[in-house]
Amino acid sequence: MFCPQSHGFINYVSFYFERLAIILFLTDEEKRMLDGEMGYGAQKGMELNVGLGEAMGAERMVKVDSCHLGGLSIRSAEDAGFDFYTELSDRGAKFRICTTTNLVSGDLENWSVLGLAADERERQDKLINAFDRMGALKTITCTPYLQGHLPRFGQHCSWMETSAIAFINSILGARTNREGGPAAVAAGLTGRAPEFGLHLDDNRVGSVLVHVTMKKMASLFEAGNLGYWFGKYSAQGNIVLDGIDEFINNDYMAQLCGSAATSGPTGIFHIVGITPEAPTLEVALGGKKPVLELEYGEKERQEAIDYLNIGKGDEVDWVYMGCPVLQLNDIREVVVAIEGKRVHPNVMFWITTSSSTKMLAKRAGYVEILEKAGVTVVADTCACLLPLAHLQRMGKKGIHSVVTNSTKQAHLIPGCCYMEPHYGDLDKCIEAAVTGKWR
Ligand code: F3S
């Protein structure tokens, strides 16, 4: 397993720069960008766009006016990304559209609390400042759509962060491909993206039908199990979920999307009667018969849990919640579950969120309750973005086993943190935190 946010950057960039022959239609403005008349950033962005468009068989560019970027974390950017982004910034590149930013490699207001080193902070600050100088908004969250950056139905976007991509395509009906760093930066610098993939109507239609017979979807854990289970079929076509008739709030939808985009290449899925491109089953399937029909019931739910719950032994060193980052209501659920209890002295318990949600949680009194119980509320980062050296330091402190209720994190932790997680619902995680044992 590997962290999808941290590999192959150099190959990705070189691939684009090697393929600059123009075979697609460009407007006069786009040609001026490519010729360098609109500045270094627009030129580099258009070069990347043209290379990607040619490789993917795009016929033209589409105007995009919303961009969400990963790559700010020093762990995911690696040296090549760091050099690429800081050079763009040093040479005066500027984003031309609304551009928000994903999580980074540390809690910026409580840097030392997690035990991160000063030189890691310095490098992280340099990278954040590079994006800041280019005009990106320092949202530092993987759920920007729940924090003010909310694309409209039909709006063309260029987003990174697979959970967010699945959310804006599926739940909002906006249009983005699953972008990598250079492609999203290119769109931010030019306000254009090559028109292929999920920008086009035909590629958004569903073809794999899942009859959901399992009820009680309304929790982070259950939404995650469903998403994880169907995500693995998304390589065979866009998924259509039929049979969900209970209200699932946007926090649970974020979990559903994050999980679906982790076990497979999900960029979009539909929920009949709920998501905007699926008012009916017939519309969701584009009037065609499904290529595959499946059922999600108790057996399939258990399959997803068993696949992820691979921890050995019963000792618990670390309880981790928050992937995608927790929203205010999710934090309240943790507060209700732990209030009056105390985290076991041998256990480190983190919940991760954005700094803006943490501010709201502070005002609501939740942070105080959590801290009294022994929970650390971590902002701006997540387990998969922690610097590698930090993981070694954690290991030296005896952090070797982890418990989580986050489906995406349960999938990623073996590759990102080199631990095999125990995976269970909120109540099981709280019990593990309080007793120091996984049962
Ligand atoms: Fe967000 Fe990190 Fe998960 S960026 S979706 S909390 S892997």
Side-chain angles (χ1 to χ4, degrees), residues 5 102-103 142 161 163 322-325 382 384-385 408-409 412:
Q5 300 178 357
N102 219 45
L103 298 182
C142 51
E161 175 44 57
S163 61
C323 170
V325 288
C382 72
C384 283
L385 296 177
K408 179 171 176 180
Q409 231 16 266
L412 295 178

Side-chain angles (χ1 to χ4, degrees), residues 259-430:
S259 308
T262 298
S263 56
T266 309
I268 187 171
F269 64 91
H270 305 284
I271 309 177
V272 176
I274 294 179
T275 53
E277 289 164 84
T280 64
L281 180 58
E282 199 189 4
V283 172
L285 291 168
K288 296 190 183 141
K289 285 208 161 124
V291 295
L292 183 63
E293 262 187 84
L294 302 159
E295 181 181 324
Y296 180 81
E298 183 53 44
K299 180 172 133 303
E300 289 74 20
R301 169 187 180 268
Q302 198 56 48
E303 259 173 43
I305 295 171
D306 293 345
Y307 189 82
L308 292 165
N309 182 26
I310 56 173
K312 310 271 185 313
D314 64 355
E315 292 301 317
V316 174
D317 303 322
W318 186 18
V319 175
Y320 181 90
M321 295 180 184
C323 170
V325 288
L326 295 187
Q327 309 303 315
L328 193 61
N329 189 49
D330 308 326
I331 294 176
R332 187 178 169 278
E333 288 179 2
V334 182
V335 167
V336 169
I338 204 160
E339 196 166 12
K341 302 187 177 104
R342 179 83 206 148
V343 175
H344 192 278
N346 295 345
V347 175
M348 179 172 87
F349 187 164
W350 289 8
I351 63 168
T352 51
T353 187
S354 65
S355 57
S356 56
T357 301
K358 183 172 177 181
M359 211 163 63
L360 291 173
K362 254 189 194 163
R363 288 174 66 176
Y366 299 158
V367 173
E368 198 185 337
I369 296 169
L370 290 167
E371 287 178 350
K372 260 191 198 152
V375 181
T376 305
V377 182
V378 176
D380 304 322
T381 192
C382 72
C384 283
L385 296 177
L386 293 171
L388 283 172
H390 179 65
L391 293 174
Q392 286 157 6
R393 291 193 290 268
M394 280 169 65
K396 283 189 189 142
K397 284 186 193 156
I399 309 293
H400 300 295
S401 63
V402 61
V403 165
T404 186
N405 65 343
S406 159
T407 319
K408 179 171 176 180
Q409 231 16 266
H411 176 96
L412 295 178
I413 275 175
C416 291
C417 301
Y418 315 116
M419 297 179 203
E420 295 183 333
H422 292 294
Y423 170 67
D425 64 15
L426 177 64
D427 290 342
K428 278 200 82 143
C429 291
I430 296 290

Side-chain angles (χ1 to χ4, degrees), residues 131-329:
F131 281 92
D132 188 33
R133 285 202 308 273
M134 288 194 277
L137 299 171
K138 285 199 265 186
T139 46
I140 309 194
T141 178
C142 51
T143 59
Y145 47 90
L146 295 176
Q147 269 138 3
H149 189 176
L150 188 71
R152 300 178 309 278
F153 177 78
Q155 183 179 354
H156 290 280
C157 307
S158 182
W159 279 40
M160 291 179 72
E161 175 44 57
T162 54
S163 61
I165 291 162
F167 191 100
I168 69 164
N169 275 319
S170 312
I171 313 303
L172 304 180
R175 296 181 172 220
T176 180
N177 283 319
R178 280 175 59 124
E179 305 288 23
V185 166
L189 294 171
T190 59
R192 302 288 195 284
E195 190 183 47
F196 68 93
L198 293 174
H199 290 293
L200 297 167
D201 290 346
D202 286 353
N203 298 327
R204 300 178 65 83
V205 174
S207 58
V208 174
L209 176 58
V210 178
H211 299 280
V212 180
T213 54
M214 163 81 199
K215 298 298 169 188
K216 291 190 290 185
M217 284 295 119
S219 75
L220 287 184
F221 184 67
E222 295 305 344
N225 292 330
L226 170 62
Y228 194 75
W229 184 83
F230 78 70
K232 65 189 176 191
Y233 294 100
S234 60
Q236 296 178 55
N238 296 330
I239 305 290
V240 177
L241 302 175
D242 194 22
I244 295 184
D245 49 17
E246 82 191 290
F247 174 73
I248 302 181
N249 71 27
N250 277 339
D251 305 356
Y252 303 153
M253 286 293 192
Q255 187 72 203
L256 181 66
C257 294
S259 308
T262 298
S263 56
T266 309
I268 187 171
F269 64 91
H270 305 284
I271 309 177
V272 176
I274 294 179
T275 53
E277 289 164 84
T280 64
L281 180 58
E282 199 189 4
V283 172
L285 291 168
K288 296 190 183 141
K289 285 208 161 124
V291 295
L292 183 63
E293 262 187 84
L294 302 159
E295 181 181 324
Y296 180 81
E298 183 53 44
K299 180 172 133 303
E300 289 74 20
R301 169 187 180 268
Q302 198 56 48
E303 259 173 43
I305 295 171
D306 293 345
Y307 189 82
L308 292 165
N309 182 26
I310 56 173
K312 310 271 185 313
D314 64 355
E315 292 301 317
V316 174
D317 303 322
W318 186 18
V319 175
Y320 181 90
M321 295 180 184
C323 170
V325 288
L326 295 187
Q327 309 303 315
L328 193 61
N329 189 49

Side-chain angles (χ1 to χ4, degrees), residues 2-80:
F2 64 96
C3 177
Q5 300 178 357
S6 68
H7 76 292
F9 186 91
I10 295 176
N11 288 344
Y12 195 51
V13 173
S14 0
F15 171 73
Y16 285 163
F17 276 106
E18 278 163 16
R19 301 177 64 90
L20 294 180
I22 304 169
I23 58 160
L24 43 72
F25 173 80
L26 295 183
T27 63
D28 287 346
E29 189 185 20
E30 289 157 3
K31 283 183 197 150
R32 289 212 315 280
M33 286 190 212
L34 193 59
D35 291 344
E37 287 176 34
M38 295 173 71
Y40 176 78
Q43 184 178 32
K44 280 293 148 220
M46 194 51 75
E47 284 174 1
L48 287 164
N49 274 340
V50 168
L52 177 59
E54 184 192 19
M56 301 309 293
E59 291 178 6
R60 57 179 186 162
M61 298 290 158
V62 64
K63 280 193 178 181
V64 295
D65 45 16
S66 159
C67 177
H68 180 66
L69 297 178
L72 266 81
S73 136
I74 49 173
R75 177 158 176 194
S76 60
E78 302 175 335
D79 289 347

